[in-house]
Amino acid sequence: MNKLKFGIKLFLSYIIFTLILILSIAVVHLYFSKEQQTQQFLKEAKLQSGEKKEKFDAHIKMKKDALLAVSQNEQFLDFTFKAKENYFVDLLFLTLMEANKDYMQMRYIDKNGLELLRFERDKESQKIKKTPNLQDKAQRDYFQEVLKMGQNEVFISNINLNVEHEKVEIPHKSVIRFATPIYRNEKFMGILIINVFMDAFLQNLISSTLYDISLVNEEGYFIKHHKQELAWTKANIKDEAREKKHLLQPLFVGEHKVDMLLVENEATLQKTKSYNNKMIGVILLFAVIMALLFTVIFTKALKNIFDLVALQAQRLDTLLQSQSKLAELGEMVANIAHQWRQPLTRVSLILQNLKAFKAKEKMSDEVFNDSMQNALSQIEFMSNTVDNFRDFYKNDTNKVEFFIEDALQSVLNIIGEPIRHSNIKLSINSSQKTTLLANKNEFSQVLLNLIVNAKDAIKERAVQEGKIDINIREENGTIIIEVCDNALGIEDELKEKIFDPYFSTKRDKGTGIGLYLAKTIIEDKMGGKLSVDNSQEGAVFTIKL
């Protein structure tokens, strides 16, 4: 009767578990599918935005190069010197404007700010004409800016609306102004200036079948919008993107920044949702079929599991008792226990996690492989530690170039978790990555010793808010690494002895090998200096290389 009741409960439990599993699979799929789609969006959006940025930069450079080419033309320079009408210069201006349909105006303004030559397009016919209505531009901002520039420097304005007679032209026209000072024999003669229509180019720039693209200037206005009626209106990027995937790509017009906003368009969004719904349907159908199949197959076989579990539990207790006795043999490796304690703990945690995943039937290939890789890295580190002790006095020529921050991270991968469990705050202060040519394993061993030493000092002195600060910087070609703690420091009489072999301040815990090994590696093998001093809060171990 008990077995029958157990079988019924087991069957119902399996059904409930299966339903939960199905729901979990759907949720996990949605999460990872969304994450994958986000990564795919960012990858493709960065690729397209990068291409558009190159196109934008090339367009600006082309206009800038054309301006400089005219400024260096001998006929034009002769015109600026004589200030007389020149047929060849007129022809030059006319030809350039014919070849570049986006040129709105080309002008030459003398050193006093007076227009001497001006070609422009007629608003109605778009024909190019030389206008006799020349104006004084001495007080205009762009003229004053170009006055300050040197030869071959180029002034590039922001993208603005075209203004005629002090009023914004309707319909709106986006314009950029390019200008450069003209010098002859190092004497300032005037400025050459070209006004360029940008609407057609910008419209082509934001065209896309995958994204809704808009351009936003520094003042927060849309220069271009995928909905034309919103151009030159106040922009709100949060409202524009809402919950859609989006990317901001900065573009630069001279010293001015324009943000290109790429937002996933509605067609792409609907296609993604449709794909997700189909995938969820297939997964749920497959999960239901497999759940029913496994329920029928395994329910009968699991009727005797209760007795089996009880028996295995008893055997496990016996095994654990035996293992606890064997653990005492660890004292035989006291000289390397200081280095092995943390990686052994990490491996133990990995095995416990694997056991938990197995017990809950959540073991996947990805979880298993990640855990195995992590465990192997700990074992490799332990193996390298043994090799370091064995080969300590041998010449090691295996030097590689590596980032100090990477070596530090490999150490934190081993002891970071115990530090966090001890409620110790560890911070790394480094303005930029610093490279070092040395034996990476030995250098990592030094960092490990110093950090573990700081952690143990904090725990031994029961510091309430323990912290370890690691500072990395470079001064006058010297790399300086500081490991600082707030464990109240080291007594003056102990400072000179602290690097001696077999000297330890940790009572029964220490072996006195760690700091001795660290100093020998830094000074004998790496030609550096390892020293210790006290700050107001605690000890400061300093490495100089």
Side-chain angles (χ1 to χ4, degrees), residues 282-307:
V282 171
I283 290 172
L284 290 177
L285 180 62
F286 176 77
V288 169
I289 294 172
M290 294 302 296
L292 292 174
L293 180 62
F294 280 109
T295 299
V296 173
I297 293 174
F298 287 109
T299 299
K300 293 181 180 180
L302 292 174
K303 287 182 179 179
N304 297 322
I305 196 171
F306 181 78
D307 294 334

Side-chain angles (χ1 to χ4, degrees), residues 349-367:
L349 289 174
I350 292 169
L351 294 176
Q352 290 176 31
N353 287 337
L354 285 175
K355 181 180 177 182
F357 277 111
K358 181 65 176 178
K360 295 179 181 179
E361 298 186 5
K362 292 186 177 181
M363 178 70 73
S364 65
D365 289 344
E366 183 180 0
V367 169

Side-chain angles (χ1 to χ4, degrees), residues 37-46 49 210-214 236-249 259-265 269:
Q37 289 162 12
T38 300
Q39 294 302 320
Q40 184 67 19
F41 167 83
L42 290 175
K43 179 181 178 181
E44 294 176 355
K46 285 179 181 179
S49 65
L210 298 177
Y211 312 107
D212 292 332
I213 303 179
S214 306
N236 189 322
I237 293 178
K238 289 185 177 179
D239 288 345
E240 188 70 18
R242 294 186 186 92
E243 296 181 357
K244 297 179 180 178
K245 303 179 188 70
H246 62 280
L247 175 74
L248 274 176
Q249 170 67 60
D259 284 322
M260 180 165 60
L261 173 65
L262 292 83
V263 180
E264 185 179 36
N265 64 26
L269 192 61

Side-chain angles (χ1 to χ4, degrees), residues 398-417:
N398 184 23
K399 294 183 178 181
V400 295
E401 190 172 25
F402 60 92
F403 288 115
I404 292 176
E405 290 78 4
D406 291 346
L408 179 58
Q409 188 58 51
S410 67
V411 172
L412 294 181
N413 287 341
I414 297 173
I415 62 171
E417 201 64 28

Side-chain angles (χ1 to χ4, degrees), residues 97-138:
M97 292 193 68
E98 285 287 359
N100 296 273
K101 303 301 181 183
D102 55 350
Y103 279 21
M104 171 188 168
Q105 288 179 352
M106 284 188 68
R107 292 175 288 164
Y108 171 68
I109 303 173
D110 71 10
K111 63 184 179 181
N112 298 314
L114 300 176
E115 291 181 338
L116 295 187
L117 183 62
R118 174 171 173 161
F119 277 77
E120 61 186 9
R121 293 187 187 277
D122 184 80
K123 293 181 183 179
E124 303 297 332
S125 65
Q126 292 297 301
K127 290 184 178 179
I128 303 166
K129 62 181 181 179
K130 180 180 179 181
T131 177
N133 299 322
L134 304 176
Q135 302 174 27
D136 184 351
K137 302 293 184 180

